[in-house]
Structure formats: structure tokens, C-alpha cells
Amino acid sequence: MAENKTQATGASVEEFLAAVEHPVRHRDGLRLLKLMRDITGEEPEMWGPTIVGFGQYHYKYGSGREGDAAAVGFSPRKASLSLYGLTYGPEAADLLPRLGKHKTGAGCLYVNKLEDVDEAVLAELIRAGFRHVTTVLQSP
């Protein structure tokens, strides 16, 4: 069975964010770093070369594939901010329409800039997503 490509690397989160050239992505990355750290109580960790993750969970699919992943996280990509783990919980269906300008796809939430969204709703999505991933989706 193939190994999960996105694993914790031990690389410096601060160095990664300092190297983000786009000024809005850089600023928003620092804001998300604080917000996710405060909400989850977890220290950030690099997952792969571009994802800042908080906490982790073990998953196991019916196919037998299993691995570890960040519970919630983000990546300040060129096109948008990619937010991970926030759309899995049942609360997401009620919160997403109130979030503001965003897109979803393949388990990700995409935001152009944080000023486009309601930060209180984003905080609830982080809280609910983290709780869901670490309790419901966590495999023994």
C-alpha cells in the first residue's frame, strides 16, 4: 500500500510563512496561525512542504488505506487560502452559508482573503471541524 504523501515534516512553520511572497497571503497566513493555534490549543506543524497543520488524526478507509493527517490546517497558496478539515463536521452545513465569500471542493474550503469572510463564523468552523476530526473521524 502506498504511503501518504502528506506527512509531518518537522520543517519550520515560521520560516515557511516568512517565505510567502504574496503580501495578503502572508498576512492572512500569520492571522490563521494565531487563530488556529488559539482555537485548537495545538502547536502548528508543517505537513508536506506547504500545509500548516494543527493536531492530527489517524484515518482508515474501508479500502484498507490508512494514515495520519493534520486535524485542521491551511496553506497560503497563490490562487487562494486553502483551509483543511473545516467542512467535515455536521455544523459546517449551517455555518458555510454565513461565512462570506468562499468556495468548497474535495474536502477543502477556499478563501481569497480573510477580509472576505466573517471571522467569528470561521472560528466556529475551525472549532467544529477540529472537534469532529479528532473525535468522530479518529480511527483507533
Side-chain angles (χ1 to χ4, degrees):
M1 180 116 357
E3 202 170 271
N4 187 353
K5 292 180 185 175
T6 306
Q7 297 183 25
T9 66
S12 169
V13 170
E14 288 76 16
E15 287 178 19
F16 167 70
L17 291 175
V20 173
E21 293 179 9
H22 191 289
V24 174
R25 299 280 179 274
H26 176 80
R27 181 193 70 219
D28 287 351
L30 294 175
R31 179 69 192 125
L32 283 168
L33 180 70
K34 179 176 179 5
L35 190 62
M36 287 189 171
R37 179 187 273 144
D38 290 350
I39 290 170
T40 66
E42 298 283 342
E43 286 301 311
E45 191 170 14
M46 290 302 301
W47 286 79
T50 61
I51 297 173
V52 179
F54 297 82
Q56 68 177 344
Y57 74 107
H58 187 78
Y59 62 86
K60 187 171 186 177
Y61 298 138
S63 66
R65 180 177 170 87
E66 64 182 294
D68 297 306
V72 296
F74 69 92
S75 183
R77 302 197 187 275
K78 269 190 180 176
S80 63
L81 293 167
S82 298
L83 303 161
Y84 304 97
L86 309 190
T87 60
Y88 299 140
E91 300 92 338
D94 291 331
L95 291 168
L96 287 171
R98 300 185 359 235
L99 179 61
K101 189 175 175 183
H102 71 279
K103 293 180 184 178
T104 57
C108 291
L109 174 64
Y110 302 103
V111 174
N112 285 331
K113 53 188 181 285
L114 289 182
E115 65 188 37
D116 287 345
V117 299
D118 183 323
E119 195 169 302
V121 175
L122 178 59
E124 281 304 310
L125 280 164
I126 295 167
R127 193 171 289 108
F130 184 77
R131 182 175 52 245
H132 185 77
V133 169
T134 58
T135 59
V136 176
L137 297 184
Q138 175 73 32
S139 291

